[in-house]
Amino acid sequence: MYQIIYKFDESAITTYLAHMATLFRKLTNEKFSTIELDGAVLDLGSSRGADYHRLFKGDFKITTLNYTNDENADIVFDLEKSPLPIPDNKFDSILAINLLEHIFHSRELLKESFRILKPGGRLIITVPFLHQIHPSPHDYYRYTKECLVQLLCESNFSEIEVSEIGIGAFSGVANLIERFFPAFLGIFLEKFFILIDMFLVNSSKFFKKKYSGSEYPLGYFVIAKKQY
């Protein structure tokens, strides 16, 4: 399931000025605001009070797990190790937000996520693709849509939905370079490059050429389910 999203609105501009968010982060934040969570939620590789937690809708309680006390997490544990110190069928949802690229043993972590999810629970993932190297403390991978689907299938997940986030190659350039510019200039460049991509998408139809955001994703948004 593909979906390419972007909105020009005042809230996005405000978020950018307040948090210096990249284009990819702004687009994933928009996706979070459409998701409703319920019950017990585990956020892997995060900390208490992470900004994006407030974007989700619903009645839920988030538990965070990270590898060090420095991250102010509820549970301190190395995500490269298995098993996680959590019983089977514990959580209604699990978040892995910009995490898997930092985990060398990501297959094992996905299998552990399946184990600790309740039947009917969801795993929500975001991963970058066209993005600079960003160790935290390491940066190992960039995943394609096909790879994500395969990994989740191997971990017994079903109803896998993968949405590409981005509009085209120039939006990828904007995402990579905007951190080098002052906020007001970054916003201008971002809009300018997005307009170029929109023009190319529309003109490619006229000239019968192939050009779409699915070929140049900034990253991916994924929802996968553990069947009852």
Side-chain angles (χ1 to χ4, degrees):
M1 178 179 180
Y2 292 176
Q3 185 176 3
I4 302 169
I5 58 171
Y6 191 80
K7 296 179 183 177
F8 291 113
D9 59 23
E10 292 301 320
S11 62
I13 300 299
T14 301
T15 300
Y16 185 89
L17 290 172
H19 303 289
M20 294 296 289
T22 63
L23 177 57
F24 175 61
R25 181 59 63 90
K26 284 184 278 189
L27 296 179
T28 54
N29 282 349
E30 287 184 8
K31 291 293 289 185
F32 296 154
S33 68
T34 69
I35 301 298
E36 185 164 346
L37 300 176
D38 183 63
V41 178
L42 177 65
D43 192 358
L44 297 171
S46 185
S47 59
R48 299 188 195 102
D51 288 343
Y52 58 85
H53 289 169
R54 61 183 173 80
L55 300 176
F56 293 98
K57 302 174 183 177
D59 183 13
F60 57 89
K61 180 179 180 181
I62 292 182
T63 299
T64 56
L65 187 156
N66 216 322
Y67 73 101
T68 172
N69 279 318
D70 294 340
E71 298 298 329
N72 192 27
D74 299 298
I75 303 172
V76 178
F77 189 79
D78 187 351
L79 288 168
E80 295 285 9
K81 297 180 180 180
S82 293
L84 297 177
I86 297 170
D88 296 354
N89 308 317
K90 174 70 174 179
F91 288 97
D92 297 285
S93 297
I94 294 176
L95 307 177
I97 307 304
N98 299 334
L99 170 70
L100 293 184
E101 70 271 21
H102 302 295
I103 306 299
F104 187 78
H105 299 292
S106 55
R107 284 178 169 83
E108 287 75 11
L109 182 59
L110 289 174
K111 292 175 181 177
E112 278 295 282
S113 297
F114 183 87
R115 177 183 67 81
I116 64 179
L117 265 179
K118 295 179 182 178
R122 295 178 300 170
L123 174 63
I124 299 172
I125 297 170
T126 63
V127 289
F129 189 75
L130 294 178
H131 200 286
Q132 70 270 12
I133 301 297
H134 57 293
S136 182
H138 307 290
D139 190 356
Y140 294 112
Y141 302 114
R142 294 295 180 270
Y143 298 90
T144 63
K145 182 243 184 183
E146 288 80 5
C147 180
L148 289 164
V149 170
Q150 182 68 24
L151 287 172
L152 289 164
C153 285
E154 289 180 358
S155 300
N156 296 317
F157 285 95
S158 58
E159 297 184 32
I160 301 165
E161 300 181 3
V162 180
S163 301
E164 290 126 343
I165 296 179
I167 299 173
F170 284 87
S171 299
V173 172
N175 191 66
L176 291 170
I177 69 172
E178 63 184 356
R179 66 186 178 133
F180 297 109
F181 297 96
F184 74 93
L185 184 56
I187 293 171
F188 170 78
L189 291 172
E190 178 183 292
K191 285 189 174 184
F192 178 68
F193 283 132
I194 288 171
L195 288 173
I196 293 175
D197 273 333
M198 293 172 65
F199 171 77
L200 291 174
V201 168
N202 291 320
S203 62
S204 66
K205 298 174 184 177
F206 178 80
F207 291 108
K208 298 182 180 179
K209 300 290 184 178
K210 184 180 180 182
Y211 187 85
S212 70
S214 64
E215 298 174 299
Y216 308 97
L218 304 179
Y220 295 92
F221 182 88
V222 186
I223 298 178
K225 191 173 182 180
K226 179 177 179 177
Q227 289 284 22
Y228 287 96

